Amino acid sequence: MSIRVLLADDQRPVRDGLRALLARTDDLAVVGEARTGAEAVQLTRHLRPDVVLMDVRMPDTDGITATRLILGDGTDPFPRVIVLTTFDLDEYVFAALRAGASGFLLKNVAPAELRRAIRVVAAGQALLDPAVTRRVIARHAGTPAARADRPAWAFDALTAREREVALLIATGLTNEEIGQRLTVSEWTVKTHVRRILAKLGARDRVQVVIAVYQAGLVVEPAPDHPPAHGRERR
């Protein structure tokens, strides 16, 4: 079955470009287009897409608010949201991730990477680009709004090993890379990740990264690692 995708962007050329890119594959289908955040919320409830590609800056209702409304209405299964950003201009990506977005991409993302990203989040995984995500989170985690609700106490429930794995997740490492670092199997790492998600009440790895930074457990972002294309990230 095709993955159903909703496009949300106020610029027609951007929507046309995204539609053209996704039309070249058999497993991805654009089921609707929204020009504002409010339209994105309405169309998501009506069309029930699997993935929403969400612009941040839109008239009427911005992408952050729309993401929060879409993911907070109790819909089951909930759609996955990928935030599209120019990064250097958008100052609200961290808030979008806190609202429940499964990840974000730059608008100049390569076509193959865009299609891969949609498949990744549609499969219930989180999209973490170590070269970009950590910089965004590191930039915003130290703001007063972020510091106000740092859940440092939540990490008390983690074992020493789970805490170690959580910190490595925050550096952008994949399960395979974490296993290599800790000299354990990838299956063991997956088990730790599942337990971390449950104990922190996190939906996916993105929320684990946010929780780590909010808790003040990582002060400076780790050196960038190249994106691990095609690797499992949950």
Side-chain angles (χ1 to χ4, degrees):
M1 295 179 62
S2 295
I3 299 172
R4 296 162 53 81
V5 181
L6 175 69
L7 309 179
D9 196 295
D10 61 326
Q11 300 183 41
R12 178 64 179 271
V14 173
R15 298 198 308 274
D16 288 346
L18 291 172
R19 178 182 284 275
L21 288 176
L22 302 184
R24 301 173 186 174
T25 59
D26 295 332
D27 64 331
L28 304 175
V30 175
V31 296
E33 299 182 17
R35 297 168 297 175
T36 69
E39 285 187 3
V41 174
Q42 294 172 355
L43 287 177
T44 297
R45 292 171 177 170
H46 177 65
L47 299 174
R48 303 292 294 275
D50 301 304
V51 177
V52 180
L53 295 182
M54 182 76 74
D55 186 22
V56 173
R57 294 185 173 183
M58 291 183 289
D60 189 7
T61 301
D62 61 70
I64 298 170
T65 301
T67 297
R68 186 177 299 111
L69 292 172
I70 288 172
L71 298 178
D73 69 354
T75 300
D76 185 22
F78 56 83
R80 296 283 173 164
V81 176
I82 298 177
V83 173
L84 297 175
T85 177
T86 54
F87 180 65
D88 290 331
L89 297 177
D90 293 328
E91 297 297 325
Y92 308 108
V93 175
F94 179 70
L97 295 177
R98 291 180 64 195
S102 293
F104 68 91
L105 295 170
L106 299 180
K107 285 190 175 180
N108 62 354
V109 62
E113 179 64 11
L114 173 63
R115 292 189 285 266
R116 185 192 72 85
I118 293 172
R119 296 184 184 109
V120 166
V121 299
Q125 303 168 35
L127 182 71
L128 288 174
D129 183 341
V132 180
T133 304
R134 290 196 318 279
R135 291 203 299 268
V136 173
I137 294 175
R139 174 189 296 183
H140 292 277
T143 63
R147 289 197 301 268
D149 60 353
R150 281 180 171 176
W153 55 266
F155 287 85
D156 293 341
L158 303 185
T159 65
R161 177 62 87 182
E162 290 166 354
R163 187 185 180 97
E164 189 174 11
V165 171
L167 292 176
L168 291 175
I169 290 174
T171 68
L173 296 184
T174 64
N175 289 344
E176 179 183 356
E177 292 164 340
I178 292 174
Q180 293 172 351
R181 179 74 62 88
L182 300 179
T183 318
V184 297
S185 70
E186 187 174 354
W187 182 88
T188 297
V189 175
K190 290 181 180 180
T191 299
H192 287 313
V193 172
R194 285 196 298 270
R195 291 173 179 170
I196 291 168
L197 293 176
K199 290 181 179 181
L200 295 181
R203 177 179 294 159
D204 52 37
R205 293 171 76 103
V206 170
Q207 293 189 349
V208 172
V209 175
I210 292 171
V212 167
Y213 277 94
Q214 286 182 321
L217 301 180
V218 175
V219 178
E220 297 292 338
D224 287 343
H225 296 273
H229 298 296
R231 295 180 179 177
E232 187 274 338
R233 292 181 179 273
R234 187 178 178 90

